[in-house]
Amino acid sequence: HRRRKAVPADGVSKALGQLAPAYRDCLIVLAHTGWHVTELGRFARDAESRVAPGRGEVLGVLQVRHKSGATTRTPITHPAALESAHRVRKRGVLPRKMNVTLARACAAAGVEPFTFGVMRHSVATWAIEEGTPPEVVADFLGHKSKSTTLRFYADVAVPTAVVRLPKL
């Protein structure tokens, strides 16, 4: 489980350009939420899932039932992700053969193939590489313990503590 599962963001962008709208919407939502694909499926079909209004820079809050039964609330700050989430909810189902279609899109875009399932790992890696503290990423992903996040993503974290030392 130590193999890096993250996909480079530019590879995701290139693959998005090759996908039909229903598949593109799914990939965009996963790339902005860090959800498992099963959560996306529940978000699409379950009556209690919804898009709630946001405040400030949070444009909306996606609400879905986690497999544990608890409600997951994920803030959305990107307009395209919010629009995609609305379309996923309106469709009510995920498209068929998602990973086969994504593999074809990756080939057409000339990028290393990946699956929808690795988007959760990609989101975590991207956030930590951008300087988000692992504790914040853990909360965003819904990890019960920040040690889960640290165990998998500590190697990509950029230390933010600066220690002043004398010049020698």
Side-chain angles (χ1 to χ4, degrees):
H1 68 83
R2 284 297 189 196
R3 182 177 58 86
R4 178 66 47 224
K5 296 179 183 179
V7 177
D10 66 323
V12 174
S13 293
K14 289 175 183 175
L16 278 169
Q18 300 296 320
L19 288 170
Y23 299 93
R24 188 179 318 123
D25 286 338
C26 292
L27 189 57
I28 288 170
V29 171
L30 291 174
H32 286 87
T33 60
W35 284 353
H36 295 281
V37 177
T38 55
E39 289 171 303
L40 182 65
R42 283 191 297 276
F43 177 73
R45 73 175 177 270
D46 291 352
E48 66 268 7
S49 295
R50 67 188 196 106
V51 180
R55 236 185 355 228
E57 70 178 284
V58 175
L59 303 175
V61 179
L62 307 187
Q63 298 179 9
V64 65
R65 186 81 50 201
H66 186 266
K67 65 183 177 184
S68 69
T71 298
T72 299
R73 301 178 75 237
T74 306
I76 295 296
T77 58
H78 194 280
L82 186 60
E83 292 165 9
S84 290
H86 281 294
R87 288 190 293 268
V88 167
R89 282 289 299 147
K90 186 175 182 179
R91 282 185 199 100
V93 295
L94 298 184
R96 298 173 59 85
K97 298 186 179 183
M98 289 175 55
N99 285 327
V100 170
T101 303
L102 182 55
R104 289 183 185 137
C106 289
V111 299
E112 189 75 29
F114 61 94
T115 65
F116 283 88
V118 301
M119 292 314 300
R120 181 171 176 85
H121 303 288
S122 299
V123 167
T125 301
W126 300 337
I128 289 174
E129 286 176 342
E130 289 292 320
T132 306
E135 300 80 15
V136 173
V137 174
D139 186 49
F140 181 78
L141 293 176
H143 289 163
K144 295 218 184 290
S145 168
K146 74 174 184 174
S147 66
T148 302
T149 310
L150 289 171
R151 187 171 71 244
F152 288 101
Y153 305 106
D155 63 319
V156 296
V158 176
T160 55
V162 175
V163 177
R164 303 283 179 218
L165 299 172
K167 293 193 188 264
L168 301 176

